[in-house]
Structures are given as C-alpha cells and as structure tokens.
C-alpha cells in the first residue's frame, strides 16, 4: 500500500481517537447527568499538569494515572457537593457555574506552575514503521489505550449494575429514587468519574502537546460537536460522532484549509441541530 | 431622550469649580511642566491575556532601565515615573487607556511591548501627539508619525539566519509554515526573496489559523513527503510548541533542520529538551549571549530582582532596550515636541542589553544572533553583528 | 406607562450626570462600556427574559462593527451612508432571528447546545476575520475607519454612546412590558405550557434572539467609528463571556442589571486588572456565587419592588375579542393505538370513541397508561401504530400549539403555572391564546383584557381577582385552580384534565367540579378527565372508560362500571 495513504490514515485515526478520548468524560457527564461541564477542558489540563508534576519529581510517567484520579476526586467531590448538585435541574446555570469553575481552575494552576509552557517527555520515544509509514510509537500507544478505554466504558455501561443503575437514573430520576437507587451518591460518583476520564485524557495527551494553564479550550471545543452529532445516548454515538467530526474536518482541511475544515464542522453541527436534534445515535 | 452633554471643555470648567479637576490641555499642547515634576512614562506590557507569560519580565526589565536612567539624571533632568497600562487588553480598551494616559495623566512618552493590533489601536489613539516606542519583534512597516520601533524586523531575522543555515548545512529546499496572520506572511514573503537569491526553492508553504491550538500531524506528514532541507517556522505560542513536539515525535528532526523565528526561552521550555534537535532561532537577544555587555546586564538584573527574577527572554528584555531608547531619544531631542523628537531619532545611539542600537528611519540596526536549542537552553552559534532593519520610514 | 416615564426620566438624568461624577476622561472610556452595555442589554433580553443563554453575543457586535467599518471606509461621503449604517444595525438581528429559527426547530435537548453553537459561532468568526485579510484586514484589523461625519472624535464619543444606550434602554423597557415580554418570561419558566396555550414558542424564542442580535448590531455599528479600528478581538471568547459575567452579576432579568454590570464591572476590570493581579479570580468567585445563590443578580430584587410601586391598581379592563376558532363538536376516534417507550409497551391496541359532548372520566390503576393516552393525543409521545382523529383532523401530526388553536385545552397533573409572573399575567396569557395576532403582542392594552368566562371564574374563585399577586406565593390548591382557570379561559372544545382535584380541599373540590360542569355546558365541550377518586367520578362522569395494561377494559356509565365483574377483578384499589 501507498505509505502516504497509510500515513494519512493513521493521522485521521489519531485525530478521531483522541477526539473520542477527550469527549468521553464529557459524554458521561452530559449524557448521563445532563450537566454540560464547561470546565471539562480544565480537567484535561489538570491531567497534563499531573504528568508534568510527576516528571518534575523524577518519578515514572505511569504515576501520573493514580495521581490524576486522586486529584480529580479531591477537586470533584467538593465541586459536586457545593456547585453541581444544586444545579442538576438548571442546565443553563450549570454551564455558567462550570464556566466560572474553569476560570478558577486555570488561575489556581497558574498560581502554582506559572503561565508559561511546560513540556512532558514521551515515556517511549522513537517511531515504528507501519507498512512503510514511520509513526511515533507513543501516539500508537495512545490510540491503543484510548480504544481500550472506550471498550471498557462500553462493557462497564452495558454489563455492570452501576451502568444499569445510571440508565435507570437517566430514564427516570424519581423512579430510580423510589426503587432505592441512591441517586445522590450515584450522581456524584458519575460526575467524578467523568472528571477522571478527562484527567486521564490529559495525562495521555501531555507528552505530545504544549502543557500550559490555558490549554483546556484547545482540546475540549470539538468534543461538544462530537456530542451534537453523535447524540447523548451511548458510547456508540460517541465513536460515530468522533468519526464524523474528526474525519470531516481532516478531509476538508486537507482539501482546502484548516479554516474551511473548522467551518465545515460548525455547519455539520448546525445541520444536525436543525434536522436531527437527537444526534445520530439517540437514546 | 437623553440630553446631549455639554462640550468637554465647558464641563471641565464646571467640574474644576466644583471639585478641582484641571482644565484639559488640548492635543499638541502637552505642558512643559516644572523641573520638579516627574517625567511620566506610560507603559503597555502584557499584564493579561495569552501573552501574559512575558509580562513579569517586561515589567522587571522596564523597572531596571528606569532605575538606571534615574541614577544617570533622568529624562530632561526629571526623574522617570511609570504609568502602567495593560497591553494584553483588547485593542479598544488599550486605546481608551492610551487617551487617558495622554490627556489626564499627561504622560510624556509611551513605551509598549504587545501585539500589532494593540499597537495600531495605540497609534490611532495617540495620533503622533506624544512619542511612542514599540519594542518586540514585528512584521515591519510601521511608519506612523512620532512612532519609534526598535523591534526586530523580518529582514533582520530572516536574511542573516537563512543565509547562515544555507552556508552551514547547504539548506536549499525550504518549507514555510506559520500562523495565518500578517507577521508570518510578511516574513515569508521576504524569506522567499532571500531563498531565490541563493538559488534555493520553496518546498511548500502553509498557514494554520490563530485561535484554539492546532494539531500538526498532517502538516508534519506533508513536510515529510516534501522532504525539505529546512523548515522555516513562523508559528507562535502554543502552536509553535505543538508543531515542534509533533515534528520531533515523527522523527523528522534527524534529517531536517528547523528555524523558528519567534522562539525564545519560554517557548523552548514548552517544546522540551528532547525535541530541540536541529532547531534554530534568530533574534536580537538570547539570555545565553556571552558578551561583556549582556553579562553585565544579567548581573544587574540578578542583583535587583534576586533569585526569583522572571526568566530573561527576547520578549521582555525588549522592554529594557525600549525604555532606554525612549530616554535617549528625548534627552537628545531636548523636549517632547514631536518635530524635535522625530529629528533626533535619526542616528540616535542608545544602550541595549547586549550593546548599543542605532536608529535610522525610526527603526534600529542591532546585533543579531543565531542560536541552536541544546537541551533546555540556547547555544549561540553565530553572532552576525549589526544588521540593517530594511525599513524606510521618513523622519 | 408610569413605569416607562419614570425610566425615561431616570435614564436621562443618569446619563447626563455620569460624566460630571467620573470626569471627562473616564467618560471617554465609558463611551466604550456604554456600547458594551447596549450589547449586554440585548443579552439580557434573550437570556434574562426568554431564557436563552448565548455565549456568543460578541458575534453580533463584531459582525456589525466590521460591516459598519467597511461602510464608513467605502461610503464616508455618500448620501447613502446613514441608510447603509442602518442596514449594518439590522443585519445581525436578522441573522440571529434566522439562526434561532434553525436551532429551535429541533425539539430535543437544545438548551445546552444553543450555548455551544453560539460559542462556536464566535470562534469561527474570529478565524474568518483573521484569515480573510483582503476584506477584514486580518489579525491587525480594519484600520483608519473614519468617524461619523459631523461628530468629533473625543468630545462626542460619550454623547453618541449615551444616546444609543438611552434609546436602547427605552426600547428594552417598553418591550419587556409588552405582552411579548410577558410571554418570554413565561417561556423561560415553562416552555411546554406556553406551547399548550397556543403560542409558537420557537418563534417567540427566535424573536428574542433576533432582538439580542439587533442590540449587538447597534453596539457594533457605533463601535467602529468610535474606535477607528476593528480587530478580531470582538469575536474573542473573552469579550462574549465577559458579557455573560456582567449580565449575571448585574441581574439578568431586569432592565438595569445588564447595564449596571457592563458599566460597573467592565470599568472595574479595565482599571483593576492593572493593579490587582488576582482580579480574575475574584471575578470568577463572585460569578459562581452569583449563579448559585443570587440568580437575580444585584438588581434582581430591588428593581421589581420599585417597579411595583409604579403600577396602578385601577386599570380599566377591556373586553377581549371573540376567540377565532368557533369549532363545534367533533368526534374523537382512537383506533388500535400502540405506543412503547424503549422496550416498555405502554399502550396496546387501544380503542376509544367519543360520539357526543359531555364529561368522560378515564380510570384505571397506576401505570395503566391513562396519561400516556393524553400524551399520544397531543403529540407529546409518538405512537408506533394506530390513528387518532379529533378536532377535525385525522392522525396526530399537529403540534400542541395548533391543537390549542383548534380548541384543545390540556391541564397537566402538576400545576403548570408561571410562578414568577402575577396571577393577572398568567390569566392574561390564557386570554391571548387564539385571540391575539402577532402584532397584538406589542399592544399594552392586551394586559387589561377580560372576558365573560374570566369574570365568572373570578366570581367562583375570588383569589383570581387579586391580579397583582405573584403566583409563586399561592397555595398548592390555588395553583391547581389557576391552572384550570387558564385552560378554561382559552374556551376549549376539547378539555383534557389530569387529576384536576389532586391536593384540593373539599370545598375547593366541589367548586372545581361545578366549574368543570359549567364550562362543558357553556362551551358545548368534551371533557376527558383522569381521576382516581370514585366519589368525584360519580359526581362528574357522563361516561367512564376503564383502562388497564394499556388497553380499554370497559366502557359504560358509572353504575355499569361499578357493577362490572371484570373491572372489579383488576381494579380493587378503589372502594365502592
């Protein structure tokens, strides 16, 4: 096969997979709890800074994963308790409050780490040759981990009792409460789980991007479109949405330019809102 | 309907009677205050916004320069007082601040290090009524009256560096990548001329939009297919970091040299020590410049700000040179009168961090350096000496 | 009117006095923030009134700033200059309106996505403004824009902005008072109810969004000549989100809140971020606290209290016109209706026929599918198969709005009244249903409408005459009654009531029963009532339908139902 084609295919795949990776946590909080977390990008940023911090301390990159989970729980618990819980029934106010939270988190991280750029070394370096195309080994690993994570999410959501309980919670909060599902604890855990997914995405992306307090918006924006296109129903929608958004943008950007690619994504999202407001894969 | 408020001057009289505000001096008549009055210098540094990582260094370097100027007798015999403004604010707000500085605070000179949009807003607000010194690197072409630009110009950056890399590595086939706005486009237009001059070719040219950060996997793949000898990078900020990390990640750093024209110490920190192989930068200042002047400057800086001093980088240290430039300019002119200052600017010599600058056509010929990234730091490869700016503003 | 006049005087006085207080140079800076205040006022209309949060208000400011700049550069000397500038004011309004039509067309889940789309819009605009250098001047912006001819640059900047803001505030004060404003506020509380009162809720939202665009257009058109430079910063995330913060803290629901927020916090930010390094943190915390605990912002409690003092009690009531639809009785035929949600079947081959006017009660155990029948009839839920014929139409393709206009009146199980409006406004909205044209919604006289039906209802339930009372302060029973009164004010021919007496006292229950009977006789209407209380069923029902497991189990008179064994077998929960 043509190495150029392979290389382009790998690039588009990486775009789609990372998109799904970042959108995953957002899909959990928005799809299951109806909370549009505008601070999602900041948790990706916090994940990246966890990787940076671990490296600064001379520890192995892998320590960043437990660290980010702890950090997300430590931040997420009081945030859910004090801000999110009061707003489950007020979707617009959640947007506002989480947006305020995003400002706050950026400023806090800036206070500790400064406003400048930081770098995280790739835990594995070098490239591998895939059918004639050289591709960074680390990015290959990121794709693999992301696909495993998405698979695990599907399995967890479909098989586990927590998944079923969340489904019940989503379908009918009052009923869920009346049959004894602890909605408050479940909602809180779901919210924190969404944050952890964002943080893990940040840890995974840190070795390939610029790590700085304002990086959140870079990574989170297209995720919203993924959810618009894919629908909020389930993980299949997430994958489909990522494919449509990531694929469409990459292709249009390659043919015309990046601004055209971005415009196209916006138009696709608008058309979906207009003609198919439930997304491709509705609940 | 609202009543139309009376004209400014009439209301000022009323306000003056009531509360003590003074009569407004109209444009042009910036008062020659008594010698005991401080000489007011308005500054626009990046206190907020995306460039705010440079703000602390800019403020510190400005303060150091002011200390030294005051120790040497001040400007026109008056000691310098800073009136701070935010150069990271939106242009419209910066313009309002500039007008306020000019009319209410009655600043005598304005020094700024910020982006070009804010520069144009300030130029539009001041309208040449007080001298304005703009210091960071920029795309060239600013010839507004009473505006002085000791900034690095594309000619100063591109011409020596691209020729040097051609000589050193035989780089002939060059790929251009930048953000889609005026500075990269002007710089690349000039670069193409120099590439043609030594018989090189352009392997590709592309621009990524400013805004939320871009990914560069596809661009790097295109560069790999084009197989150039050198990539000329005019990406800024986070995009510059992302591109260079991806470039090295794909292993292209082994065979292809890179020249990035807005690459100083803070951006290099983001690119990381392992991704800087074959990455060059060309500017008028690097902290690593090993000359007596720079070593003395660094010593003075360290003495004033101690261990917690903001890191030195080209954008930041420009405020030091720019402040000195403003002081020398007005001392030479002997007044802040626009005509006198314009006339004094031609041939002006002033102190920079690395030596002296010479102003002609309201731009500055200065020492330029080629540096290569070595780990987390720059290593000076070549000192080009004084390079002409190539701008043609009349005086 | 008194309120409008008071505003006129107050706004004028403030704008004249302000420069004296802050001094000339701050007044010059203020000129910019007064324009931002106009944009915030627009955001206040769409968000505070109609409940639409836009994160991209800067799009409209930026759009018209660019068009205004281009017009001033190209046509500065032309006699067409001012008409063209007028276009640049209107254009963003039209864009917003049509964008709104498009986004609101879809029915599901669009609240959050609306915010995201507006956010995406500014980011896209910023990229285009930066990239399209030949027209927009690119990153460095559109330069050397001449000022408005006849206005001086420094001295008149404040005047022009102040006049623009003054006029905009007057317009906003007026439109918030009109029936349209009342409907927007109703919409932001309970959109479904507005649709079930026969209003085109999507269009109402689009109009609100369009007006917010128009206000952005005013701000942008004046921004260009005042600043002589237009850069992509206007499309920046920062500016648009600042608008939201200013409006939220100032008070989104009021006239003065957005203005106060823009001027106060905008100016404070302009000054303090140079001296206070952590200003942004302070602002973020204030913002979060405001969202959580002070949803009404700084002005939210003060302004309505002042406003109430200006309202007169003794308004002259005018009689409302006849309702457009004078439909006579039409059969209801439901055949073979199958409806399931997810994997759960709710209705199975349900048949129901009503051949003559009267009161029909639907009874059946919990979960039998009674409410679902109503939902299927009114298009809330989509049936998989089967047909419904009613109100002169066959098959459910009508939406709630069209059905209401055709003579439907539906009362939900929970009282769906607008808590943050007065009793009078709630009833007025019901009176406008089917009686008002679009243009009528701008006439203040609609607020004083009365009808014979309303007069009778006020006689039966005297609390309804206390028109200025806020609905939020009513008891549960009163809210149930108000909800029913609103349904009856629309003079429906088909009345669907879901447990109208739940939570009522005995006296209230009796009055409601007699009122329903009175209404059915008066309108020659058909009433379908879901009811659990057999005592009530005995009182009310001409005929009873027993629903069980999503199918029709039995149909007959009260006596027949009570003596039927099959009914008794499955339906033991209700005492004889």
């Amino acid at each position: 096969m043509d190495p150029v084609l392979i290389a382009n295919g790998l690039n588009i795949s990486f775009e789609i997979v990372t998109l799904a990776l970042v959108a995953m946590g957002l899909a959990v909080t928005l799809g299951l709890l109806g909370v549009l977390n505008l601070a999602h990008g900041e948790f990706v940023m916090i994940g990246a800074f966890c990787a940076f911090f671990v490296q600064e301390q001379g520890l192995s990159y892998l320590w960043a994963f437990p660290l980010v989970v702890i950090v997300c729980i430590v931040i997420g618990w009081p945030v859910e308790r004090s801000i999110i819980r009061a707003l489950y029934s007020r979707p617009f106010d959640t947007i506002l409050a989480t947006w305020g939270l995003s400002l706050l988190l950026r400023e806090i991280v800036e206070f500790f780490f400064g406003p400048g750029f930081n770098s995280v070394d790739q835990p594995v370096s070098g490239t591998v040759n895939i059918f004639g195309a050289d591709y960074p080994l680390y990015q290959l690993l990121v794709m693999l981990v992301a696909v495993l994570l998405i698979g695990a999410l599907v399995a967890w959501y479909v098989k586990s009792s927590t998944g079923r309980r969340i489904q019940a919670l989503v379908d009918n909060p009052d009923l869920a409460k009346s049959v004894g599902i602890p909605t408050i604890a479940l909602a809180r855990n779901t919210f924190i789980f969404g944050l952890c997914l964002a943080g893990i995405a940040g840890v995974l992306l840190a070795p390939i991007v610029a790590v700085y307090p304002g990086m959140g918006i870079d990574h989170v924006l297209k995720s919203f479109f993924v959810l618009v296109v894919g629908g909020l129903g389930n993980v299949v929608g997430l994958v489909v949405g990522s494919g449509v958004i990531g694929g469409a943008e990459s292709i249009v950007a390659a043919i015309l330019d990046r601004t055209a690619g971005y415009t196209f994504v916006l138009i696709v999202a608008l058309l979906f809102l207009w003609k198919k407001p439930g997304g491709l894969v509705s609940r | 309907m609202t009543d139309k408020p009376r004209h400014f001057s009439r209301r000022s009289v009323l306000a003056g009677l009531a509360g003590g505000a003074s009569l407004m001096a109209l444009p042009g008549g910036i008062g020659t205050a008594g010698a005991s009055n401080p000489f007011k210098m308005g500054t626009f540094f990046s206190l907020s916004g995306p460039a705010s990582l440079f703000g602390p260094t800019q403020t510190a370097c400005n303060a150091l320069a002011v200390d030294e100027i005051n120790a040497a007798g001040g400007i026109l015999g008056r000691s310098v007082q800073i009136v701070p403004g935010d150069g990271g604010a939106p242009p419209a707000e910066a313009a309002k601040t500039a007008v306020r500085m000019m009319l209410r605070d009655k600043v005598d000179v304005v020094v700024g290090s910020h982006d070009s949009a804010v520069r144009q807003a300030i130029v539009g607000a001041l309208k040449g009524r007080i001298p304005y010194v703009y210091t960071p690197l920029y795309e060239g072409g600013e010839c507004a009256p009473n505006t002085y630009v000791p900034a690095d110009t594309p000619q100063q950056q591109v011409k020596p560096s691209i020729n040097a890399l051609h000589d050193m590595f035989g780089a002939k086939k060059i790929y251009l990548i930048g953000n889609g706005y005026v500075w990269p486009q002007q710089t690349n237009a000039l670069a193409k001329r120099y590439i043609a001059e030594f018989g090189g070719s352009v392997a590709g040219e592309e621009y990524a939009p400013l805004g939320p950060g871009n990914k560069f996997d596809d661009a790097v793949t295109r560069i790999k297919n084009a197989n150039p000898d050198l990539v000329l990078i005019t990406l800024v900020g986070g995009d510059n970091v992302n591109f260079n990390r991806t470039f090295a990640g794909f292993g292209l750093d082994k065979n292809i040299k890179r020249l990035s024209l807005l690459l100083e110490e803070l951006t290099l920190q983001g690119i990381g020590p392992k991704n800087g192989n074959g990455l060059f930068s060309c500017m008028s200042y690097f902290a690593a410049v090993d000359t007596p002047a720079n070593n003395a400057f660094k010593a003075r800086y360290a003495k004033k700000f101690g261990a917690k001093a903001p890191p030195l980088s080209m954008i930041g240290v420009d405020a030091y040179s720019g402040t000195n430039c403003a002081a020398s300019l007005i001392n030479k002119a002997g007044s802040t009168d626009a005509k006198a200052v314009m006339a004094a600017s031609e041939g002006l010599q002033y102190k920079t961090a690395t030596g002296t600058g010479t102003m002609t056509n309201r731009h500055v010929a200065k020492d330029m350096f080629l540096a290569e990234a070595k780990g987390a730091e720059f290593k000076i490869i070549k000192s080009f000496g004084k390079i002409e700016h190539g701008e043609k503003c009349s005086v | 009117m008194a309120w409008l006049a008071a505003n006129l005087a107050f706004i004028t006085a403030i704008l004249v006095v302000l420069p004296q207080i802050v001094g000339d140079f701050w007044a010059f800076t203020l000129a910019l923030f007064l324009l931002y205040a106009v944009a915030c006022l627009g955001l206040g209309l769409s968000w505070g009134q109609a409940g639409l949060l836009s994160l991209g208000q800067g799009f409209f400011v930026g759009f018209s700033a660019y068009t205004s700049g281009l017009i001033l550069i190209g046509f500065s000397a032309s006699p067409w200059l001012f008409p063209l500038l007028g276009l640049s004011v209107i254009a963003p309004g039209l864009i917003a309106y049509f964008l709104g039509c498009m986004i609101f067309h879809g029915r599901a889940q669009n609240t959050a996505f609306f915010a995201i789309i507006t956010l995406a819009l500014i980011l896209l605009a910023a990229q285009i403004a930066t990239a399209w250098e030949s027209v927009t001047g690119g990153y460095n912006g559109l330069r050397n824009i001449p000022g408005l001819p006849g206005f001086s640059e420094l001295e008149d900047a404040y005047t022009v902005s102040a006049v623009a803001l003054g006029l905009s505030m007057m317009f906003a004060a007026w439109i918030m008072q009109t029936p349209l404003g009342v409907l927007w506020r109703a919409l932001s509380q309970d959109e479904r109810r507005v649709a079930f009162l026969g209003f085109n809720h999507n269009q109402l939202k689009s109009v609100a969004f369009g007006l917010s665009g128009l206000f952005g257009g005013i701000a942008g058109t004046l921004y260009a000549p005042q600043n002589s430079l237009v850069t992509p910063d206007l499309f920046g995330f920062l500016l648009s989100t600042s608008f939201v913060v200013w409006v939220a803290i100032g008070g989104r629901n009021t006239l003065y809140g957005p203005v106060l927020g823009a001027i106060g916090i905008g100016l404070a930010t302009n000054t303090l971020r140079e001296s206070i390094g952590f200003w942004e943190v302070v602002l973020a915390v204030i913002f979060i606290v405001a969202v959580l605990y002070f949803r009404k912002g700084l002005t939210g409690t003060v302004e309505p209290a002042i406003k109430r003092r200006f309202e007169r009690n003794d308004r002259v009531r005018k009689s409302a016109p006849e309702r457009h639809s004078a439909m006579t009785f039409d059969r209801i035929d439901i055949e073979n209706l199958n409806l399931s949600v997810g994997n759960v079947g709710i209705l199975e081959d349900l048949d129901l026929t009503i051949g003559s006017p009267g009161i029909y009660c639907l009874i059946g155990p919990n979960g039998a599918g009674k409410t679902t029948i109503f939902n299927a009839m009114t298009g809330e839920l989509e049936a998989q198969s089967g047909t419904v014929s009613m109100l002169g139409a066959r098959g459910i393709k009508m939406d709630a709005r069209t059905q209401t206009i055709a003579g439907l009146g539906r009362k939900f199980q929970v009282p769906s009244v607008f808590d943050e409006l007065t009793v009078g406004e709630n009833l007025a909205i019901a009176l406008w249903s089917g009686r008002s044209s679009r243009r009528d919604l701008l006439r203040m006289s609609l607020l004083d409408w009365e009808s014979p039906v309303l007069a009778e209802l006020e006689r039966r339930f005297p609390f309804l005459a206390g028109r200025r009372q806020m609905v939020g302060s009513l008891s549960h029973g009163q809210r149930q009654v108000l909800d029913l009164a609103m349904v009856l004010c629309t003079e429906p021919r088909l009345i669907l009531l879901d447990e109208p007496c739940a939570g009522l006292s005995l006296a209230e229950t009796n009055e409601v029963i007699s009122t329903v009977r009175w209404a059915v006789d008066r309108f020659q209407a058909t009433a379908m009532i879901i009811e659990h209380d057999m005592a009530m069923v005995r009182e009310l029902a001409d005929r009873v339908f027993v629903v069980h497991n999503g199918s029709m189990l039995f149909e007959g008179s009260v006596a027949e139902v009570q003596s039927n064994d099959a009914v008794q077998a499955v339906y033991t929960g209700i005492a004889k």
Side-chain angles (χ1 to χ4, degrees), chain C residues 57-369:
Chain C
Q57 179 70 348
F59 173 79
F60 305 111
V61 181
F63 181 88
S64 56
Y66 272 104
T67 52
S68 158
L70 289 169
I71 289 166
L72 281 160
I73 290 171
F75 301 90
S76 201
S78 158
W80 291 100
L81 178 65
F82 283 98
L84 282 171
L85 287 179
L87 280 185
S88 115
V89 171
I90 294 165
L94 292 176
I95 293 173
Y97 175 75
F98 288 114
L99 202 64
C101 290
M102 214 169 133
I103 298 171
F104 302 133
H105 177 85
R107 287 195 295 182
Q109 298 168 339
N110 52 23
T111 44
F113 288 148
F114 174 76
I116 293 306
I117 286 293
T118 54
L119 179 61
L121 208 60
I122 47 165
L123 291 166
L124 176 67
Q127 293 207 346
I128 291 176
T130 310
W132 199 11
E133 206 176 330
S134 57
V135 172
T136 61
Y139 178 75
N140 284 358
L142 208 55
R143 272 160 282 171
N144 303 323
I145 299 167
L148 289 172
F151 293 91
S152 72
E153 182 204 355
L154 291 180
E155 289 84 349
D156 290 336
Y158 177 82
T159 315
V160 171
S161 295
V163 169
L165 178 62
L167 291 175
S168 302
M169 285 181 77
M170 287 317 300
F171 180 73
W174 168 73
I175 199 127
M176 283 160 71
Q177 291 272 85
T178 59
L180 181 63
V182 176
L183 278 176
W184 280 339
R185 291 193 288 281
L187 191 71
S188 67
Q189 294 168 47
D190 192 341
E191 190 171 336
R192 183 174 69 165
R193 185 70 166 117
V194 173
F196 269 98
L197 283 166
F199 297 98
N200 187 340
H201 54 119
N202 288 333
Q203 199 181 35
L204 287 172
K205 286 199 287 186
S206 302
V207 169
F209 190 46
L211 279 179
S212 81
L214 184 76
F215 277 74
I218 295 171
T221 302
L222 294 175
Y223 176 97
Q226 187 182 110
N227 293 286
S228 78
L229 173 76
V230 177
T231 61
D233 289 78
L234 283 175
F235 295 129
F237 188 62
L238 189 74
L239 183 65
S240 286
T241 44
S242 295
F243 287 160
V244 173
V245 174
W246 298 343
V247 173
I249 298 179
R252 64 179 101 154
N253 309 103
T254 63
L255 174 65
Y256 290 93
V259 175
L260 202 70
I263 296 175
I265 300 174
L267 211 55
T269 303
N270 181 270
T271 346
L272 294 179
R273 73 166 155 223
E274 285 156 19
S275 45
I276 304 180
F278 49 88
W279 170 249
E280 307 280 330
V281 182
V282 174
L283 205 55
V285 171
I286 295 176
F287 178 71
I288 294 177
V289 170
V291 169
L292 283 174
Y293 305 110
F294 305 102
R295 287 175 74 193
K296 296 182 170 183
L298 286 175
T299 56
T301 39
V302 185
E303 192 189 296
I306 298 173
K307 186 176 163 188
R308 237 167 278 142
R309 314 200 99 208
F310 283 89
E311 278 168 5
R312 284 176 298 141
N313 255 333
D314 51 341
R315 299 178 68 129
V316 181
R317 309 273 291 265
K318 299 180 190 73
S319 93
E322 286 295 304
R323 210 165 183 283
H324 301 318
S325 71
M327 220 201 67
T328 49
F329 174 77
D330 192 68
R331 303 173 51 85
I332 297 170
D333 269 311
I334 299 177
E335 287 167 25
N336 286 325
L337 206 60
N338 283 288
L339 190 149
S340 53
V341 177
N343 302 324
V344 187
I346 300 182
L347 300 182
E348 283 170 24
D349 290 330
L350 182 112
D351 295 306
L352 187 155
T353 303
I354 292 177
S356 60
I359 299 180
Y360 298 81
C361 281
L362 267 70
I363 62 171
N366 272 331

Side-chain angles (χ1 to χ4, degrees), chain C residues 387-418:
Chain C
T387 56
V388 178
S389 308
M390 56 186 238
L391 296 167
R394 190 173 163 76
I396 297 302
K397 279 297 156 208
M398 293 195 291
D399 53 17
R401 179 177 79 86
T402 346
Q403 287 183 326
T404 305
I405 298 297
L408 173 79
R410 177 169 181 192
K411 187 196 164 311
F412 292 92
Q413 200 166 359
V414 231
S416 302
V417 287
F418 307 113

